[in-house]
Amino acid sequence: METFINIILFTLLVVTAIAVTRTHGLFGVAMLSGVFSLLSALLLVTLDAVDVAFTEAAVGAGISTVLMLSALSLTSRHEKESSRSNVVPLLVVMCTGILLFYGTLDMPNFGEEGSPAQNHVSKAYIERSPSEIGVPNIVTAILASYRGYDTMGETAVVFTAGVGVLLLLSGLQRRRRKEYKKSGKL
Amino acid sequence: MRHHLILRVITKLLVGAMMLFAFYVQFHGDYSPGGGFQAGVIMAVAFIIYGIVFDLDHVQRVLPPWIAHKMLAIGVLLYSGTGIVSFFQGLNFLDYTAFSPHHPVHGQHYGIFAVELGVGITVTGVMVSIYYAFAGRTSEIRDEDW
């Protein structure tokens, strides 16, 4: 059953990706990329990574689609026709894909007993977190307590990204408003 | 979007539920999937949807840009402040035992609560500020263009 679901989800992912490349209306592309994110969220659910799936659905399908749309309203709604040939990009993509496949050959099989992911700290987290942290959701226990320092770094990254966008966009707005005032139109 | 009656009614109905869901994800993260990041994003989406369907001015009356900008820093300060509190008990940075020295497990609960709240506030602030920064530059799009 799981194989069946996986096959369907991956087929839909590929169909969505092809649809993105074939669509020229940017509104449709933004929507399709949201669909792509939702499908990846579903794939993560089948891997039992519910927290990651939740993040993917909220961030990938939710807010980035909305931000994409609000960015879209600043430009035109249609893609510019490209005059260059598609051969070189296609080659680059194919080579990268083959290299990635080659890389997965070295990885342990999914859920394999002897893989490093199952043997190092994760065992200790599962054994110790009920008595040490007392939080039923081990993911939260790891993120906020065992790896609290990392999460602080992530929060700082989000903060920095926000400050960067604010500096780039709102500074421009203020300057424009000043110029507008100077030109005496107000 | 003045004449999209269905959108406006549905949005009014849904915004409250979205915020409630964001709080659920935020404070129930110990027991179910979710936490500060997800809750912050859902909370921000509630504001952004309101801003898109109604007006930027309307949503900025509820959450003015200066508050959204302050939220960026408040969240990070709350997080790192939680870490610094444990210094006063002679413990390591971000050791939540400091909040309840006799019941370390309770201390973990309080610490995780504070830290996740910090993450949620920062993420909400960042997402809403980014939206404001984009939407503030928009010349009103005409409905026919959609």
Side-chain angles (χ1 to χ4, degrees):
Chain A
M1 189 62 197
E2 212 185 304
T3 328
F4 180 66
I5 294 174
N6 276 340
I7 290 173
I8 289 187
L9 285 179
F10 273 113
T11 318
L12 284 174
L13 261 191
V14 172
V15 169
T16 321
I18 292 173
V20 167
T21 57
R22 307 297 298 173
T23 318
H24 291 291
L26 292 177
F27 182 75
V29 171
M31 286 299 152
L32 281 171
S33 65
V35 171
F36 193 89
S37 285
L38 270 184
L39 287 170
S40 352
L42 284 177
L43 271 172
L44 290 166
V45 171
T46 64
L47 290 174
D48 279 341
V50 198
D51 280 87
V52 188
F54 198 173
T55 316
E56 177 67 38
V59 177
I63 202 134
S64 34
T65 312
V66 168
L67 287 180
M68 206 77 91
L69 286 182
S70 56
L72 203 61
S73 62
L74 297 174
T75 63
S76 81
R77 287 187 60 213
H78 289 279
E79 195 182 342
K80 254 187 212 162
E81 284 294 321
S82 154
S83 53
R84 280 182 225 150
S85 85
N86 293 329
V87 179
V88 178
L90 187 69
L91 267 178
V92 171
V93 169
M94 295 285 263
C95 288
T96 318
I98 290 168
L99 277 176
L100 286 174
F101 269 115
Y102 179 70
T104 59
L105 294 181
D106 264 353
M107 283 168 71
N109 288 329
F110 175 67
E112 200 179 271
E113 216 182 317
S115 67
Q118 318 279 355
N119 281 327
H120 285 282
V121 280
S122 58
K123 214 171 149 194
Y125 286 150
I126 293 168
E127 277 167 3
R128 283 160 48 188
S129 80
S131 58
E132 279 182 359
I133 315 283
V135 166
N137 186 2
I138 298 179
V139 178
T140 304
I142 294 174
L143 276 184
S145 188
Y146 288 121
R147 298 291 181 92
Y149 205 73
D150 288 3
T151 311
M152 196 182 118
E154 282 167 30
T155 316
V157 167
V158 174
F159 169 77
T160 318
V163 169
V165 170
L166 284 183
L167 283 178
L168 283 174
L169 290 184
S170 29
L172 191 74
Q173 200 191 1
R174 202 166 297 153
R175 209 182 309 144
R176 257 197 212 146
R177 208 177 292 149
K178 254 185 212 160
E179 279 167 17
Y180 195 68
K181 270 184 192 162
K182 250 186 217 164
S183 63
K185 278 181 193 165
L186 238 150
Chain B
M1 299 228 175
R2 192 77 15 108
H3 57 260
H4 290 283
L5 183 66
I6 295 174
L7 264 182
R8 291 161 66 92
V9 172
I10 296 287
T11 309
K12 267 189 186 167
L13 280 175
L14 276 183
V15 161
M18 284 164 89
M19 288 182 167
L20 204 61
F21 184 59
F23 281 123
Y24 167 76
V25 172
Q26 171 83 53
F27 298 123
H28 213 257
D30 300 1
Y31 302 96
S32 58
F37 279 103
Q38 293 92 332
V41 169
I42 295 170
M43 184 56 101
V45 163
F47 284 107
I48 294 173
I49 282 281
Y50 192 78
I52 287 179
V53 172
F54 291 89
D55 209 351
L56 191 62
D57 290 338
H58 280 81
V59 71
Q60 287 190 343
R61 225 177 290 162
V62 183
L63 184 68
W66 64 270
I67 292 186
H69 296 169
K70 298 276 186 296
M71 279 166 77
L72 302 188
I74 289 173
V76 179
L77 285 177
L78 183 60
Y79 201 129
S80 39
T82 311
I84 288 171
V85 165
S86 46
F87 283 161
F88 292 105
Q89 307 268 343
L91 295 163
N92 287 331
F93 188 63
L94 284 174
D95 190 341
Y96 305 140
T97 317
F99 292 102
S100 168
H102 304 295
H103 287 279
V105 173
H106 288 187
Q108 291 286 345
H109 273 279
Y110 301 140
I112 290 175
F113 181 88
V115 155
E116 293 273 13
L117 190 63
V119 174
I121 292 174
T122 297
V123 172
T124 311
V126 167
M127 295 302 168
V128 172
S129 307
I130 291 179
Y131 168 68
Y132 283 173
F134 271 111
R137 306 181 62 195
T138 323
S139 51
E140 278 278 314
I141 36 163
R142 287 165 293 142
D143 281 329
E144 301 87 69
D145 290 346
W146 290 91

